[in-house]
Amino acid sequence: MPTATIELSGHIIDSMMLPRIFDAVMDMGGTFRIEEFHVGQSVDETSYTRIALSHDDIAGLTSIIAACQQQGAALVETASARTEPAPTDGVFPDAFYSTGNQPTRVLVGEDWVEVEGIEMDCGIAVEAGRARCVAVTDVRAGDAIVCGPAGIRVTPVERSRSREIFGFMTSNVSSEKPKHLIIRELAAAMREVRDRNGRICVVGGPAIIHTGAGVHLSRMIALGYVNVLLAGNALAAHDIESQLFGTSLGIDLRNGLPIEAGHEHHIRAINRIRAAGGIRQAVEEGMLTSGVMYECVRAGVEVVLAGSVRDDGPLPDVITDMIEAQRAMRAALRGVELCLMLSSMLHSIATGNLLAAVVKTVCVDINPAVVTKLADRGSSQTLGLVTDVESFLRELSEQLT
Amino acid sequence: MPTATIELSGHIIDSMMLPRIFDAVMDMGGTFRIEEFHVGQSVDETSYTRIALSHDDIAGLTSIIAACQQQGAALVETASARTEPAPTDGVFPDAFYSTGNQPTRVLVGEDWVEVEGIEMDCGIAVEAGRARCVAVTDVRAGDAIVCGPAGIRVTPVERSRSREIFGFMTSNVSSEKPKHLIIRELAAAMREVRDRNGRICVVGGPAIIHTGAGVHLSRMIALGYVNVLLAGNALAAHDIESQLFGTSLGIDLRNGLPIEAGHEHHIRAINRIRAAGGIRQAVEEGMLTSGVMYECVRAGVEVVLAGSVRDDGPLPDVITDMIEAQRAMRAALRGVELCLMLSSMLHSIATGNLLAAVVKTVCVDINPAVVTKLADRGSSQTLGLVTDVESFLRELSEQLT
Amino acid sequence: MPTATIELSGHIIDSMMLPRIFDAVMDMGGTFRIEEFHVGQSVDETSYTRIALSHDDIAGLTSIIAACQQQGAALVETASARTEPAPTDGVFPDAFYSTGNQPTRVLVGEDWVEVEGIEMDCGIAVEAGRARCVAVTDVRAGDAIVCGPAGIRVTPVERSRSREIFGFMTSNVSSEKPKHLIIRELAAAMREVRDRNGRICVVGGPAIIHTGAGVHLSRMIALGYVNVLLAGNALAAHDIESQLFGTSLGIDLRNGLPIEAGHEHHIRAINRIRAAGGIRQAVEEGMLTSGVMYECVRAGVEVVLAGSVRDDGPLPDVITDMIEAQRAMRAALRGVELCLMLSSMLHSIATGNLLAAVVKTVCVDINPAVVTKLADRGSSQTLGLVTDVESFLRELSEQLT
Amino acid sequence: MPTATIELSGHIIDSMMLPRIFDAVMDMGGTFRIEEFHVGQSVDETSYTRIALSHDDIAGLTSIIAACQQQGAALVETASARTEPAPTDGVFPDAFYSTGNQPTRVLVGEDWVEVEGIEMDCGIAVEAGRARCVAVTDVRAGDAIVCGPAGIRVTPVERSRSREIFGFMTSNVSSEKPKHLIIRELAAAMREVRDRNGRICVVGGPAIIHTGAGVHLSRMIALGYVNVLLAGNALAAHDIESQLFGTSLGIDLRNGLPIEAGHEHHIRAINRIRAAGGIRQAVEEGMLTSGVMYECVRAGVEVVLAGSVRDDGPLPDVITDMIEAQRAMRAALRGVELCLMLSSMLHSIATGNLLAAVVKTVCVDINPAVVTKLADRGSSQTLGLVTDVESFLRELSEQLT
């Protein structure tokens, strides 16, 4: 019967690593035997365990090992990572190791090297003693791609022991909770990141504009709290519509009333920016003098507008090829420490796919299903808030001012 | 072929009376012939039409007439309302006229008399030249109950021609609308009602307390903006829990964190009030010194706490018999002109059942399905807002201060 | 510094008892020291731990102990349970032990006696060597009520090691999962319970009737799969409306189209049953010859219809006093092993409050928020399904036939 | 004061044209005077009205006219449509007429010519006596683009007088309705379209696969009920994952249980198809032998897979440029008469943007907000169903077999 031995250390009980490993083994039809177990006697001490795993067949055992690795377990006797060359451009070897978004190291020769740019559902290319995460669209024929579980070590971000806002509330999405203090702590965290020149990313949907919250986001940008803005055509188009026509999707932003024939305003706004050649040009020629996109141009925010098949127009600034858009987002996200995902399921999921688990993330949506969906995706340090994006941004920008 | 002639006047086209009547006739398999039609030539002029209805059988025609009456049509040749005696206590005659919540008159002898206390799904009792709306639980054997469509005239509340907040937004529940101006106009309407000693009712659920919005509601009560509070055991119990223990359903209201064993607090709070004998007594003996219920006692708000089968406890102030509770609510609602329904589906529907269509109503819930359900129920002047109740009450109480 | 020692055994890691205890101690500001730890070496072996807890003050320690007890920990050195007399009817002593819904024993003299009728948020009355769970509304002055944590032992229902439908899916509510096999396994579980004369309870809302699923539920009743039906006025009234008028809340059940004036049908149906004196009488006099309520009368199902403040009518069979209704539900639930909660938030929560954690429960609703709310409440063996109640009942009744 | 005269005929009252025109004039601050009014005396007769509109300024009047035109009104004295040349590629003249999705004609010289390929939010290019709808991305410098309201005539699709499933239920999205008959009528409509070689389009999301409904859709394809499939990477990738690995997003489709490490299956499935060169190649080389995509290849269904920024992979068949994808969808939708939108908000909105109002559309989603959003977008003949996509497709495919 195929067998392997793994070990695991840290706050393995209350960080849920060990319960999840037990679950995985049982779910996948394997068995385990605990060979060693030292329990941390108090809150600050760590625990250690060594576990022998077995399964009827080698494929099953391999899957169990992979699942345990994602929880932070490592094979006791490990060889260097095995690689195979990618067969053609854009294709991994069939047995490629599929990454998670937790910090991951690879045993190259005798060194454990950190995988650069870790991201979910990618491969690991090894070259000249370095390991980097590579998307399937970016792999080139012949790249040495890690295959199988040997030589892999994942270090899950542990749940915080202190009761800070990130982590302990993971997947806690209720709308029936007080949000005051959470927003205050978030503002403090943003101030701290900004003050040491860290990078903050905002992912936003058009509801920010529709609800009249554009002014709050504009203020946050002007105050230097946004380094990267990831959005789609809609946020930018409705922001510009609101500046040129006073409406958002034809709704008068002063009073919330629909304006008959106001529905056309967004396509007229897009057409004018197309005529100008782009958002920056529209700012420079004085056509656009306020709003979220204007503040982004003024403050030098790194903006990536990724297109979608439902777009009207789109604005000339929108990247219409999705592989290009993902590359641009990946580049913009480099170094981001804090990410606010505001009322945009599509762009939030896209961003979540690209983020490492160490990035602190806040998801805000009035629909609990969206918050649950986002909070469930990978990041270990996600705070989900079910609330109105306008009131969230109003209060956050007041706290930041 | 059975035939009847109805007439209709007012803004019958844009108030949707006429389109709905055409729909009803066609839906129910009838036919119509327009005998006369005067159209109002401008916005201020009213229109008039006289229509002959027919149907294969008399029962179908009767149903069509009833449907047209609810839209404001009246039989051209009408006799006095026909009555039958109620057969026993708590039972209407089988052919009883079932009321809507629009203003309704009955032809008694030669006089059109207004039905007092109009409410949906009730009967009309006629006595000594007066007509009153009577619930099936309150009818007594022998009461003269109106049967059939003769001698009935309904006057639907017309949609406002001005763009005020009530009415024009009916069933417009989007969370993606700016809410600032709406809340400002609502505050103005509340101030106006209060200043002429009109009555304002708040229907509230425990999410008000859970989200930390109790302080805002307390302030509104202290400022005299609430004359009637309709709620259940949960709102009162969690309000008192929050005053005695600092938690709401075990969640620390200062920081939103769950307190282990805090779950018990609400039943401990209820037990203490039971020991005191009631909320008023707890206030008088100094055990309860702040919060929503405290402010209600201090300000003399008329409070009805209606029980429900899911209640823990309940508090001694809760009316546990539902027929008693409906009677108490009906009494408390007398004279109410403005009603805020906040995060309570059960009590909001219960209240909506009892309200006349002329009462202006605002429904606030973070769940669009609840707002839709409430806004669809009868009242012609309902404003639905999909938003966080905490941010709604915070902004409203700021506007009112 | 106040200190106490607890012990814990079983599958304490993967059943989450130990992680939750660590969390509770840290959340509540306490410290722990692990004095002994034996880990089960394989899937079938149990673990054991003894932990010293401490906290700055005795009240904090008491809360920590209470939280640990709910996870199955027991004080190592324990005295008999301490009792105080209830001060008056309907009031517990202030320090009463507040129950959870897990199996609970009390040390009376030298015997650990099982608390009878365990239920959440109640007290424990001790008398003549027996312990029974008592609701605050049912306590009598002088009853000996357990106070404080001494002499209490809770045995949480452990998560099943086998992958059966109850338990492993707890709070798994996605609508994006295949439901075929789950319904097949549920049908098998129902067949097994019925065949050994176990009791099955259905809690149902009016959406069962509105969606046309009444025929499926009727068939299940006729086949003997329902012993108890807990519902409100609406389920029964719309079921009867559908039999007498072919509509449900005015919607034609043959084609889903609204029938103008059909809205009145439910109040007319209620009036007729009131005239007959009740549902059983209506069946006996031949007025009601099919439908859910008819089948319940014929099959001798124990029915409790609990009123609510939003009821129209209600039917004469509805219990309008909520304390009476809770007592009737409690009595009907005695011996129930399997409970289906179908599209009724109010009655499902009410039932969940009364159920012991050992009862297997299935919650079905098309709204994920309702399923989450129900699945979160206490029962350890809850399966939440987000789906259409009509298609659920159609498939389930096909499986059962 | 600027004035214009419009006329309007048809079932202008119950088709809501006239009420909406009155609303528009009042909302936009204009006034009207009814100059002529003939009312259809019975259900089959049409009505006619001529109305003089006025507004303080010409821009306001122009907007009012545009709004009235969308309701089917036409200017009484009209000149030929005015055109301006497009200033550059991809930019309309600033005053371009922005299209709706209703059938639209343009007065070119003395002929009213139908606008070809009508679609929302586009311009109208006139050339050689023909008029065609043109997206802003497809306009070329110098194209003659219609500007202003002159010479435009819109003919809204009237609400059906018969009670067929499309139209009368528009925006009726309740989950609490019986769906049997509706699905039966939809099946009949699909059979009728197929039998006369009409085209049916399915827009689908991955929930079809996740819920195990892939087999039902496969059967419908094999039976010839699907001519066009519009989807994204996810539907195809999870369909192929389910065929190669038996899972969908790592969930075992036989029993709904998560498979640890099963999360990787979808990226492995994508990698294999990338290695094969595409879906058709994978079918031809025998790697893919069943499932939705397999049946599409076999039946010659026109498939457009449009990419999105959240895609993993993607499959080589996915069009990653959004403007290309919109063009491909537009081409595939030519001649489609019936469109089923199943559990895909993104692709459904994208498709809705491209559809003419005459196309009958059914939207199915378990989330009422999605159904509302889709049903609100333009098409006059939309049926919204809030239900589980698996049970919908199961029942529909049974009806079709």
Side-chain angles (χ1 to χ4, degrees), chain B residues 28 90 92 94 96 121 137 260 263 268 271-272 274 309-311 313 320-322 326 329 350 353, chain C residues 28 90 92 94 96 121 136-137 260 263 268 271-272 274 309-311 313 320-322 326 329 350 353:
Chain B
M28 299 165 88
F92 290 133
D94 198 57
F96 76 102
D121 293 328
T137 43
E260 278 292 342
H263 176 259
R268 296 200 181 282
N271 192 55
R272 289 201 191 158
R274 290 177 73 95
V309 71
R310 77 183 162 207
D311 286 348
T320 60
D321 184 83
M322 295 303 95
Q326 288 179 343
M329 290 169 69
N353 287 346
Chain C
M28 298 163 89
F92 291 133
D94 198 54
F96 76 104
D121 293 328
V136 70
T137 42
E260 278 290 345
H263 176 259
R268 295 200 180 282
N271 192 55
R272 288 199 192 161
R274 290 178 73 96
V309 72
R310 77 184 160 203
D311 287 346
T320 60
D321 184 82
M322 295 302 97
Q326 288 180 343
M329 289 169 70
N353 287 347

Side-chain angles (χ1 to χ4, degrees), chain B residues 229-246:
Chain B
L229 176 69
L230 305 183
N233 183 59
L235 173 80
H238 293 299
D239 172 60
I240 293 167
E241 174 195 350
S242 72
Q243 305 307 318
L244 300 187
F245 296 96

Side-chain angles (χ1 to χ4, degrees), chain B residues 54-136:
Chain B
S54 49
H55 192 277
D56 289 346
D57 60 68
I58 189 71
L61 183 64
T62 305
S63 295
I64 290 176
I65 294 168
C68 294
Q69 283 177 325
Q70 289 304 320
Q71 298 304 332
L75 287 166
V76 170
E77 294 181 19
T78 196
S80 291
R82 185 174 64 81
T83 66
E84 292 180 25
T88 55
D89 282 6
V91 180
F92 290 133
D94 198 57
F96 76 102
Y97 174 86
S98 173
T99 55
N101 64 0
Q102 301 284 0
T104 302
R105 284 170 298 156
V106 178
L107 186 57
V108 180
E110 305 207 332
D111 296 321
W112 285 101
V113 298
E114 190 76 26
V115 177
E116 298 164 21
I118 193 71
E119 181 183 316
M120 273 196 296
D121 293 328
C122 290
I124 300 173
V126 173
E127 190 185 356
R130 295 177 61 183
R132 67 184 163 87
C133 192
V134 60
V136 71

